[in-house]
Structures are given as structure tokens and as C-alpha cells.
Amino acid sequence: EVQLVESGGGLVQPGRSLKLSCVASGFTFSNYGMNWIRQAPGKGLEWVAYISSGSSYIYYAETVKDRFTISRDNAKNTLYLQMTSLRSEDTALFYCARHLTGSDYWGQGVMVTVSS
Amino acid sequence: DIQMTQSPSLLSASVGDRVTINCKASQNINKYLNWYQQNLGEAPKLLIYNINNLQTGIPSRFSGSGSGTDYTLTISSLQPEDFGTYFCFQHNSWPLTFGSGTKLEIK
């Protein structure tokens, strides 16, 4: 069974940093690209970043480019999102999702709240 | 960026009804259009990928159609578990983009 479990969220002050993790199981992690997707409270879905299976291709939404860094460790079956210079508008539930035919499997999400 | 315009934003329907949700892309997205269902407090669930391919385990009352820039999700006979919010999603080009969602509620 495919499972994706996010962690690392919490309350952080504006301008500070936070690193999210997503541990994958139930499939060969190193064979798949992965996405981070977020959802602000009561709002729609926003794609954040993508990384290919071997980390050769990386793409970001303009809203997070130069502030967020996606990475992965295939030996640990783990996806990361390093977030810096956080803003109040980054407050959201962050999902990791496997990139197959778009995004087929999603984790349950981890909440990030940016507030002073 | 490709904009995805989804309609309606709110849809009231009854169990047994046939409903359709529409999504219009600002440019051709070829076949790369997915539909997701999200229930309150849960992660989105993939229903249909690449226009009309039913994800494993999804009931056949769900179907998708369309081409080019215009796409439709149809639920042939609404069941109680179908109420929630639906999103379209294009994965033809970066940045990937979602529609704004359709909340399907009980009439």
C-alpha cells in the first residue's frame, strides 16, 4: 500500500525557516517524481514544487521560487521541502504527492502556520 | 501559466442526480487533465487522470471527457459519499495548476 507521511510543520514567525519531510513507503520511491502541493485554510490547491526521480529536474511555483528548496534522499525514501523567509501567506496545509499521471497518491498533509 | 477556470463553484444536487462539472484551460493542455475529490479534513483523491481514465477503485459512475481546452467531469447517479469538493488539475506544463474547485452539496 502506498503511504506518504509528512512531518516537520508547526508555528513559525515571519522571516524564519522550516523544513518539511515526507517519508514514502509501499512503492519504489527512487522511480518516481514527487510534488509538494499546499492548501491555505479554506482555499483551493496550489502546486508548490516538483523534483524528478533522480533530482535532475526541479521546478517551483513563482510564489516560492528563491525561498523554498525541494530535495530528496532516495536511500531514505524521503522527500524534503526547505522553506526560508516564510511569510504569512505561506500558511497552509502542505501535501506531498507522488507524480504519476499528475499526482496520484497524496499524504495527509502537515500544517505550517506563519505568524508572530 | 495555464489558468484553469472551473464551474460552477457551488452545485446543489440530490442523491440519484446526474451532475457535470466543467473546467476550461487558458490554452491547450492536450490530454493532461485530472479530476480530484476532496472531503472535509481529508487529502484529495484522484478520480480520473488524463481526461477519461478511471483511477483504480473509483466507481464507474464517474467519467471524464473533453479535449483541447474544455473538459467535463460527470457523475451519472450521485451517491451520498460523492458530496464534497472537486478540483480539476492540468499537468501538461509547468507550473502545474488547479481549478478553483466545485463544492457539491446536498440539495
Side-chain angles (χ1 to χ4, degrees):
Chain A
E1 179 194 4
V2 172
Q3 284 198 327
L4 298 165
V5 179
E6 302 95 338
S7 62
L11 174 63
V12 61
Q13 293 179 327
R16 303 298 291 263
S17 300
L18 202 62
K19 187 172 185 176
L20 306 182
S21 300
C22 168
V23 177
S25 60
F27 66 102
T28 304
F29 180 70
S30 59
N31 286 350
Y32 293 86
M34 298 293 294
N35 289 305
W36 285 101
I37 295 163
R38 67 183 178 182
Q39 188 169 34
K43 302 295 186 182
L45 297 162
E46 180 189 18
W47 170 80
V48 173
Y50 164 85
I51 186 168
S52 62
S53 58
S55 304
S56 297
Y57 299 96
I58 289 175
Y59 303 102
Y60 296 99
E62 277 302 315
T63 52
V64 307
K65 200 172 183 181
D66 300 326
R67 299 189 300 124
F68 290 11
T69 302
I70 189 171
S71 62
R72 65 191 295 161
D73 185 336
N74 286 342
K76 294 183 178 179
N77 289 344
T78 303
L79 175 72
Y80 303 101
L81 186 68
Q82 176 69 55
M83 304 183 292
T84 64
S85 302
L86 282 161
R87 307 166 180 167
S88 58
E89 54 265 37
D90 294 317
T91 294
L93 187 62
F94 282 74
Y95 297 100
C96 67
R98 190 174 76 168
H99 188 82
L100 179 67
T101 61
S103 288
D104 60 348
Y105 287 95
W106 299 51
Q108 284 304 301
V110 62
M111 189 68 201
V112 172
T113 302
V114 184
S115 174
S116 54
Chain B
D1 298 4
I2 297 176
Q3 309 304 317
M4 303 299 293
T5 303
Q6 189 172 339
S7 62
S9 55
L10 179 63
L11 183 56
S12 296
S14 303
V15 173
D17 284 354
R18 177 184 180 91
V19 301
T20 60
I21 298 170
N22 300 296
C23 206
K24 186 175 182 67
S26 59
Q27 58 188 272
N28 187 354
I29 56 172
N30 300 295
K31 64 177 183 179
Y32 300 107
L33 188 283
N34 292 359
W35 291 99
Y36 296 86
Q37 177 194 35
Q38 186 176 33
N39 294 320
L40 202 61
E42 297 182 5
K45 177 173 67 177
L46 178 62
L47 301 174
I48 290 174
Y49 63 93
N50 297 347
I51 303 180
N52 56 9
N53 295 278
L54 214 56
Q55 177 70 343
T56 303
I58 301 301
S60 59
R61 62 180 180 273
F62 291 92
S63 63
S65 62
S67 64
T69 61
D70 294 285
Y71 299 90
T72 300
L73 172 70
T74 300
I75 309 172
S76 59
S77 177
L78 270 177
Q79 298 302 300
E81 60 269 27
D82 298 339
F83 294 95
T85 302
Y86 291 80
F87 295 94
C88 61
F89 171 66
Q90 70 81 19
H91 56 107
N92 178 71
S93 60
W94 310 99
L96 309 182
T97 46
F98 289 88
S100 54
T102 295
K103 185 175 181 180
L104 178 55
E105 63 175 25
I106 301 172
K107 187 185 287 185

